[in-house]
Amino acid sequence: MVTAAVVAMTAFAAAKPATLSVARVHLTGPSGTRTESVAVTGRGVTVYELGGESSHHLLCTSSACLKFWPPLKVAAGGKPSASGVTGRLGTLRRGGFTQVTLNGHPVYTFLQDGGRRGVATGDGVVAFGGTWHVFKEGHGRTAAAPVTAPSTTTSSNPYGY
């Protein structure tokens, strides 16, 4: 009985449409420390894009990338929605899921943010073929200019910094 309830709740959660909105977020990371209004999920979790990536040129394709930068997903056939975020919302079918896009850029969250509201620790992280940025309020654009890649070093850090 409990299993059936869990399955039903999971199916309901998967069917729920992905929503983007705008919130004030405290950014800490390679791009500096500041508070800005950025795009977030319906639960208030900061969303990111990978510089140089588009729905026609995917860079985040490895299981490691998708683990540290979970895609914002929508149920197959579902439509994302936005409140306060301008830009063209869309979807991208990849692998076994459908990912939300904003202005043609796949949208991700960051594992290190821990799913917490008002937190953004990934802005400016250089990893997986590009630089990660939050989406700036109202424009569907990144909040910060790309950060120069660090000099080549060997690191055991899976985030690339």
Side-chain angles (χ1 to χ4, degrees):
M1 208 123 171
V2 171
T3 304
V6 170
V7 170
M9 288 173 56
T10 303
F12 176 74
K16 189 175 179 183
T19 302
L20 292 177
S21 61
V22 174
R24 298 284 292 170
V25 171
H26 184 69
L27 285 79
T28 57
S31 67
T33 301
R34 63 195 181 281
T35 300
E36 286 193 41
S37 293
V38 301
V40 297
T41 68
R43 294 183 342 182
V45 177
T46 304
V47 297
Y48 299 83
E49 69 172 324
L50 176 57
E53 183 178 60
S54 72
S55 57
H56 300 294
H57 179 70
L58 295 174
L59 297 174
C60 184
T61 57
S62 70
S63 60
C65 183
L66 296 171
K67 176 183 175 187
F68 292 108
W69 299 93
L72 181 59
K73 299 176 184 178
V74 64
K79 302 265 188 239
S81 63
S83 173
V85 176
T86 59
R88 181 177 34 87
L89 281 175
T91 59
L92 165 67
R93 183 80 180 135
R94 58 188 288 188
F97 61 89
T98 303
Q99 184 173 3
V100 175
T101 62
L102 181 57
N103 291 333
H105 298 274
V107 176
Y108 302 86
T109 58
F110 185 37
L111 183 68
Q112 287 294 101
D113 291 349
R116 294 171 290 165
R117 292 177 176 268
V119 174
T121 61
D123 193 56
V125 169
V126 178
F128 300 106
T131 303
W132 294 87
H133 295 289
V134 296
F135 281 96
K136 189 171 183 175
E137 174 186 14
H139 299 289
R141 295 182 312 177
T142 57
V147 175
T148 305
S151 59
T152 305
T153 59
T154 307
S155 171
S156 61
N157 187 325
Y159 305 110
Y161 62 94

